[in-house]
Amino acid sequence: MMDFLPPDTTSIPMLPPPSPFEPTGVPQLDLVLGGGLPKGALTVILGPPGSGKTTLASQIAFATAQRGENVLFLTAFSEPTSKLLNHLRSYRFFAADLIGRNVQVFSIQQFFPSEGPITEQEIVAEVRRIKASIIVIDGFQGLHDQVIASVATRHLLYNLGTQLSLLGTTTLVTAEADPHDATLFPEMTTADVLIGLYNTLPGGRTHRGLEVIKTRGRAPLSGLHGLSINERGIEVFPRLETRLAQPFQMGWNKKPPATTPAKRATFGLPELDTLLGGGLTRQTGTVLVGNLGTGKTFLALQFLLAGVEQGEPGLFLGFRETADQMVQKSVGFAWSQQLQNALSPNGGLTFHHWDPVELDPDHVATELLDALEQTGTRRLVIDSITEWERVIQRSSGAERVPDYLAAFLSILRDQGVTLLVIKELTQSVNTYQDFSVDELTLLTENVIFVQQLIYQKQFQRILSVPKMRYSAHDETLRNFLIRAPEGVRVLAPNESERDTLIRIAEQQASVPKRVSHPQRSSLSEQGQD
């Protein structure tokens, strides 16, 4: 029998430790980059005019200076330093007291000779002198025009990046160019990180985006991410689907706390909870679908208030009514004061309102997921998902809707959140609904269907549970009422108008089933047939 000796590892070279990261100070950008900017890396920011290149580089520079580190900022040939500083004063990240101290701002022209070849030696010498952690060269396209030959530009970038990297200095270069311009590829091979900024006009609205095209040795979040420029500077909103694809990078992606109740999420309406087999199963998604005026919002509020009463924080995401309008709507009902108490500070119910106009869906998702984590939300209501689907379609195209919704639902499950979304039908009165043509009702576990039907010249409010994936449930139709001061009340079998419900059920059963069309992704489309 032979003895096996451990392999000799003395000749195997040890891999260097990963480069530490420079935090950018830009909200969510470190997540998109896979951790931040690698220290000592050459980073190139490309984009058309007005896309935010200078703002992004400046925001990173001032965040570095706020940490007590030194920054060298070199302005372009076309923009004097005084003009740059005047532009930056409008942003909150700008700190005038840092100029001339931690932030040294010069024109790049003074570092190059009026005649002869341009070299990097003067810049490197200044970086050594002030011990800069980051250097920004803003407007590299002007330098490219001075150098003329692209091969000389590539050599300059390479030499500058290499020498500064040895000093541990991170280099930020901005250039006005199409991020995917093939003519730039030879020059951009010298960069360790490539960031593309975009500024488009879909449907006449401005849509800004950011893409990490390249980052050596790291796994950035792929695709086009939302971006906004406001008084705070630049904010990045990671594409929702990437949060699901690479959850290990996301600090918010935590398992639900051990204190999450194991019992059902009830509505506090005995007959409805009985229909649901005891309430909604935890960490599932439910679509509350019906036509206008059927009481969907009241049912959703009842769901949230029942959770608050049981010590479960809730969040209402509304694209229609504000919190004040919701309170006004509740006046005259017995639970109005309960709603006001829940909406007060530390009351257990958080209200987020967004006007559904020119929204970025990833912006909404970023703010919402942050709020869920901060408040410890266990129950979430969205009123209505129709507006959110429309926002996704307008900004990214209809083909994105299924993946976006699937990612959103999966993230909520991981967070231990039970979701109830409201969705409208366009028909004021219907007798049959085919849920197989709707993406959301296919993706979610449960469907509650509320209808307002005319039977024998009278309106009848009808509720049913056509789908519940992980639980036995009662599929029979029930009458329900909305009356002050009681509010919503689902009638027991002996209270409902049995003969009426039988006739309605027979009428619905007699309607020929439609052939499902996978391409049709909204109930509203079907309602317009």
Side-chain angles (χ1 to χ4, degrees):
M1 184 174 180
M2 297 181 63
D3 293 329
F4 288 93
L5 299 176
D8 180 13
T9 59
T10 56
S11 62
I12 300 176
M14 297 295 291
L15 292 175
S19 300
F21 289 127
E22 291 275 6
T24 62
V26 178
Q28 311 296 336
L29 180 56
D30 291 349
L31 295 179
V32 172
L33 286 167
L37 289 177
K39 191 172 181 62
L42 170 61
T43 298
V44 179
I45 304 171
L46 302 170
S51 56
K53 301 181 297 297
T54 300
T55 302
L56 179 58
S58 302
Q59 192 168 348
I60 295 172
F62 274 91
T64 302
Q66 291 285 6
R67 298 194 297 270
E69 302 176 48
N70 294 331
V71 175
L72 176 61
F73 200 110
L74 305 181
T75 62
F77 289 91
S78 59
E79 184 174 29
T81 58
S82 58
K83 188 176 181 180
L84 169 72
L85 295 177
N86 283 335
H87 287 165
L88 295 180
R89 289 181 192 278
S90 61
Y91 296 114
R92 292 183 190 173
F93 65 74
F94 179 80
D97 61 309
L98 293 176
I99 302 299
R101 187 160 54 91
N102 293 92
V103 180
Q104 302 288 334
V105 184
F106 301 104
S107 170
I108 199 172
Q109 285 177 292
Q110 70 186 75
F111 291 96
F112 296 127
S114 57
E115 297 180 357
I118 294 177
T119 68
E120 71 285 347
Q121 296 307 317
E122 292 294 329
I123 296 177
V124 173
E126 184 63 18
V127 169
R128 287 179 179 274
R129 187 183 72 80
I130 69 172
K131 299 178 180 178
S133 295
I134 284 185
I135 175 176
V136 176
I137 302 177
D138 184 40
F140 188 74
Q141 69 280 358
L143 181 60
H144 184 284
D145 294 340
Q146 291 283 323
V147 176
I148 300 175
S150 62
V151 65
T153 307
R154 185 162 67 252
H155 287 165
L156 179 63
L157 267 180
Y158 176 79
N159 293 335
L160 186 62
T162 300
Q163 294 191 50
L164 293 178
S165 178
L166 293 174
L167 297 177
T169 300
T170 302
T171 306
L172 286 179
V173 176
T174 72
E176 190 172 298
D178 179 352
H180 289 281
D181 184 354
T183 62
L184 294 174
F185 291 171
E187 297 172 26
M188 293 305 105
T189 56
T190 61
D192 302 300
V193 180
L194 277 179
I195 298 175
L197 301 185
Y198 303 88
N199 194 6
T200 58
L201 288 169
R205 58 159 289 194
T206 301
H207 182 75
R208 299 183 183 275
L210 177 146
E211 177 190 16
V212 180
I213 301 170
K214 166 188 174 184
T215 176
R216 285 196 176 115
R218 301 294 168 185
L221 300 186
S222 62
L224 187 65
H225 307 278
L227 180 146
S228 73
I229 303 178
N230 51 48
E231 70 279 0
R232 295 184 295 275
I234 281 181
E235 294 181 74
V236 178
F237 310 111
R239 194 165 60 92
L240 183 69
E241 294 87 329
T242 62
R243 290 176 175 258
L244 180 65
Q246 294 178 296
F248 59 89
Q249 294 184 7
M250 303 299 172
W252 49 263
N253 191 14
K254 302 172 182 177
K255 293 298 180 183
T259 55
T260 299
K263 61 183 181 180
R264 300 293 185 98
T266 62
F267 280 78
L269 301 172
E271 290 301 325
L272 176 55
D273 291 331
T274 299
L275 282 173
L276 295 167
L280 297 178
T281 48
R282 295 284 178 177
Q283 296 173 241
T284 60
T286 301
V287 181
L288 176 56
V289 62
N291 40 41
L292 296 173
T294 49
K296 298 182 299 299
T297 302
F298 274 11
L299 277 168
L301 286 174
Q302 185 72 46
F303 175 70
L304 290 175
L305 292 176
V308 170
E309 192 172 347
Q310 298 168 26
E312 302 174 35
L315 191 147
F316 190 106
L317 173 62
F319 293 95
R320 293 178 177 174
E321 291 101 340
T322 64
D324 289 340
Q325 289 172 329
M326 201 68 71
V327 169
Q328 184 178 0
K329 191 174 182 178
S330 71
V331 171
F333 292 94
W335 47 270
S336 180
Q337 188 58 52
Q338 184 186 4
L339 175 62
Q340 295 178 55
N341 294 340
L343 289 170
S344 64
N346 301 317
L349 179 56
T350 304
F351 195 101
H352 276 210
H353 172 74
W354 293 77
D355 289 315
V357 180
E358 295 193 354
L359 292 179
D360 182 327
D362 294 313
H363 186 177
V364 178
T366 297
E367 298 283 352
L368 176 60
L369 293 175
D370 287 346
L372 294 180
E373 182 179 358
Q374 292 168 11
T375 61
T377 292
R378 301 269 65 84
R379 299 189 185 199
L380 171 64
V381 164
I382 300 177
D383 184 13
S384 93
I385 197 67
T386 304
E387 278 80 7
W388 205 350
E389 288 177 324
R390 189 179 299 118
V391 166
I392 302 168
Q393 291 178 15
R394 288 177 176 173
S395 65
S396 310
E399 66 279 359
R400 188 189 177 192
V401 173
D403 285 348
Y404 185 98
L405 294 177
F408 181 65
L409 291 169
S410 182
I411 290 169
L412 292 182
R413 292 186 195 105
D414 289 341
Q415 291 291 87
V417 175
T418 303
L419 171 69
L420 178 67
V421 299
I422 293 173
K423 186 156 190 175
E424 280 79 24
L425 304 177
T426 55
Q427 291 178 318
S428 60
V429 177
N430 30 287
T431 58
Y432 171 73
Q433 189 62 45
D434 181 7
F435 294 111
S436 65
V437 298
D438 181 67
E439 293 286 355
L440 188 61
T441 56
L442 292 174
L443 290 169
T444 52
E445 290 84 0
N446 316 311
V447 175
I448 300 175
F449 187 25
V450 290
Q451 308 171 73
Q452 187 167 244
L453 306 176
I454 297 176
Y455 185 79
Q456 294 183 348
K457 300 182 180 180
Q458 289 186 343
F459 275 106
Q460 300 280 339
R461 293 182 190 272
I462 310 297
L463 181 147
S464 60
V465 184
K467 173 187 175 184
M468 208 166 174
R469 189 170 290 165
Y470 303 127
S471 173
H473 61 285
D474 190 338
E475 297 182 356
T476 60
L477 303 182
R478 294 287 186 89
N479 284 110
F480 72 100
L481 307 173
I482 302 178
R483 291 176 180 171
E486 181 181 12
V488 178
R489 184 163 72 93
V490 179
L491 301 185
N494 61 336
E495 296 178 297
S496 296
E497 298 181 19
R498 181 176 176 81
D499 292 340
T500 299
L501 294 179
I502 290 174
R503 297 291 182 272
I504 292 173
E506 290 174 346
Q507 185 178 8
Q508 292 187 351
S510 67
V511 178
K513 300 293 183 182
R514 302 186 186 185
V515 176
S516 298
H517 297 281
Q519 302 93 328
R520 296 163 63 187
S521 61
S522 74
L523 289 173
S524 59
E525 290 177 357
Q526 192 236 335
Q528 293 172 355
D529 286 351

